[in-house]
Amino acid sequence: MPSNKSVSDAPIVQFTNCRILRSHQLQREDLWVREGKILNPEKLFFDEKGSADIQLDCKDSIIAPGFIDVQINGGFGVDFSLATDDFKSGIDLVSQKILSHGVTSFCPTLVTSPPSVYHQAKWQELDCRSLGGSWLCACVWAGAHLEGPFISKEKKGAHPEHCLRTFEAGAFQDLLATYGSLDCVRIVTLAPEMKRSSEVIQELTKRGICVSLGHSVANLSQAEEAVQHGATFITHLFNAMLPFHHRDPGIVGLLTSDKIPAGRRVFYGMISDGIHTNPAALRIAHRAHPKGLVLVTDAIAGMGLAPGRHTLGQQMVEIDGLNTYIAGTKTLSGSVATMDTCVRHFQEATGCSVETALEAASLHPAQLLGIEHNKGTLDYDSDADFLMLNDGLYVRATYIAGEEVWRQDASGM
């Protein structure tokens, strides 16, 4: 069939011999890509009378949307919570390194820090732009996640107590003064039981910023009120919050609450590393609310490096095997898990389908961020950010905008 370039002169690439995750199922069909977008082959054949310029044999790989990590504190020696004049180079390094783990979009996360650190993180230097009503950026990041400092002292976890703050009479102005700017901020984690938190949640929501509940001693009614005012996410479920109790399940109770506004879905992050959450708790959460589960790494600067001492913002942490602790304590402080590892552990621990495991790291975070029309799916006209994986869910290759950006070499490295 002759190629018709009346629509575009850009080459058309056809990925063959693959199983595509589309409409919640692995489907045996080809993937067509042009100009960084996924094509509808019927329109290509019948409207354009077009055909492929390049054919690539995927050798029976699974093709899935690229993973999206909405909570990552750093990695490979980079700590996003350390003040630096060269913030962009750290973002660029991490964005390149995590390609081998299947992550094509991420939210660099800053833990509780002094105001000077937030003010020095110049997000606008990262060429942030608005696309389809959602914050997206040229260097495959999805906007910043500010975790704290408006959190509970009792559930501070690895966050430095001397940097914690409360909302005073100004409330939202207090938040602006602390952060300096909300440019390209996509998620803010706060404790909903704090006074005046409701008005802050409403103001953030008006600006298209996702409010997440975490590091909190909130009871269920306080959590429900926060959701009614616009909160849509829970930061690392079970960790740094009141434990489930049958008379008041706290924030965990949002997974089965009957007081969620109609049409609203509450999402929740889980660190599926086999350490932060017992597999039984992971199974309980997934079975209670499967469509809300979002896999996150909560990775720290030590991810990808040898055990030893590393930073997490204002704190020194120690890596002991797969455990990360505040130095000199047994307080967990992030993880060194990679996203592909979390996906495999989630599937093994819950016994869920391959499709479900993959969507927890792609579709669900995209829905949380409101970018599911561009990211997190392989629907026609969406961004061609995708992975090739084997049946064990190990990443073989990573593509962004239809371009190969990482491939496993012949030695398996």
Side-chain angles (χ1 to χ4, degrees):
M1 183 186 297
S3 177
N4 183 334
K5 298 298 183 183
S6 61
V7 173
S8 173
D9 290 328
I12 297 168
V13 182
Q14 178 187 9
F15 295 82
T16 67
N17 188 19
C18 54
R19 292 159 288 160
I20 301 173
L21 177 55
R22 182 177 285 146
S23 300
H24 315 297
Q25 292 184 330
L26 288 177
Q27 303 181 23
R28 178 69 68 173
E29 56 185 79
D30 295 347
L31 185 74
W32 299 74
V33 174
R34 178 175 60 195
E35 292 187 311
K37 296 287 185 178
I38 295 173
L39 293 178
N40 181 339
E42 289 192 7
K43 288 185 178 181
L44 174 65
F45 299 153
F46 297 112
D47 295 349
E48 299 183 39
K49 305 294 189 285
S51 61
D53 299 290
I54 303 168
Q55 286 188 326
L56 295 176
D57 184 351
C58 300
K59 300 179 180 178
D60 203 37
S61 293
I62 293 170
I63 292 188
F67 299 147
I68 302 171
D69 193 350
V70 301
Q71 187 175 6
I72 173 172
N73 308 292
F76 314 99
V78 175
D79 182 349
F80 297 140
S81 299
L82 285 184
T84 174
D85 292 326
D86 194 13
F87 190 75
K88 183 178 184 300
S89 65
I91 294 285
D92 288 345
L93 175 64
V94 173
S95 70
Q96 290 299 314
K97 292 287 190 179
I98 57 180
L99 294 172
S100 64
H101 305 299
V103 178
T104 57
S105 300
F106 67 103
C107 293
T109 304
L110 275 71
V111 297
T112 295
S113 303
S116 59
V117 173
Y118 299 113
H119 293 197
Q120 197 168 352
K122 301 184 185 304
W123 310 109
Q124 59 270 25
E125 294 180 358
L126 300 176
D127 190 26
C128 192
R129 66 189 186 275
S130 181
L131 177 63
S134 301
W135 288 110
L136 294 173
C137 294
C139 54
V140 276
W141 72 297
H145 179 170
L146 305 183
E147 186 187 1
F150 301 98
I151 59 174
S152 164
K153 176 180 175 182
E154 291 81 2
K155 292 295 179 181
K156 65 182 185 297
H159 292 237
E161 186 172 329
H162 71 277
C163 293
L164 300 183
R165 300 174 75 90
T166 58
F167 297 121
E168 303 303 329
F172 189 67
Q173 293 305 314
D174 295 333
L175 180 140
L176 287 177
T178 299
Y179 294 150
S181 171
L182 291 174
D183 290 346
C184 292
V185 172
R186 196 66 191 86
I187 304 174
V188 171
T189 292
L190 54 78
E193 71 274 13
M194 298 182 69
K195 291 181 179 179
R196 303 183 181 88
S197 65
S198 292
E199 59 188 274
V200 172
I201 292 170
Q202 289 174 308
E203 289 295 331
L204 288 170
T205 302
K206 285 179 186 176
R207 288 161 173 77
I209 295 173
C210 167
V211 175
S212 187
L213 311 180
H215 289 278
S216 166
V217 293
N219 58 35
L220 178 56
S221 64
Q222 289 169 324
E224 289 170 334
E225 182 180 0
V227 171
Q228 289 158 8
H229 283 107
T232 55
F233 193 41
I234 302 170
T235 296
H236 43 52
L237 185 76
F238 295 122
N239 298 116
M241 62 186 60
L242 291 179
F244 179 90
H245 190 279
H246 58 284
R247 282 192 289 274
D248 191 334
I251 290 177
V252 177
L254 289 175
L255 273 61
T256 57
S257 172
D258 59 358
K259 293 183 171 58
I260 306 301
R264 180 88 54 81
R265 185 187 306 180
V266 174
F267 293 90
Y268 58 98
M270 295 207 75
I271 309 168
S272 175
D273 61 354
I275 295 168
H276 278 77
T277 308
N278 186 281
L282 186 58
R283 288 191 289 271
I284 288 171
H286 173 244
R287 292 173 188 176
H289 185 28
K291 293 184 178 180
L293 194 150
V294 173
L295 294 178
V296 300
T297 62
D298 199 20
I300 64 169
M303 177 181 67
L305 301 181
R309 288 201 166 199
H310 302 277
T311 61
L312 177 58
Q314 308 300 301
Q315 308 268 42
M316 188 64 67
V317 300
E318 294 177 324
I319 299 176
D320 179 12
L322 296 177
N323 295 284
T324 60
Y325 303 113
I326 295 177
T329 76
K330 288 299 181 181
T331 300
L332 287 173
S333 53
S335 82
V336 289
T338 59
M339 183 58 83
D340 56 326
T341 299
C342 291
V343 170
R344 291 191 294 271
H345 176 73
F346 171 57
Q347 203 235 349
E348 180 181 357
T350 63
C352 70
S353 67
V354 166
E355 294 93 334
T356 296
L358 293 170
E359 288 187 342
S362 55
L363 176 62
H364 295 176
Q367 290 171 331
L368 166 70
L369 297 174
I371 59 175
E372 69 271 23
H373 299 300
N374 297 300
K375 308 283 186 184
T377 75
L378 297 178
D379 293 343
Y380 302 138
D381 299 320
S382 64
D383 293 345
D385 297 354
F386 59 89
L387 314 174
M388 290 185 189
L389 307 105
N390 64 19
D391 287 346
L393 301 185
Y394 287 87
V395 181
R396 287 176 167 174
T398 303
Y399 287 74
I400 291 179
E403 298 290 332
E404 183 183 292
V405 291
W406 180 85
R407 176 171 290 276
Q408 181 186 49
D409 64 28
S411 66
M413 300 298 291

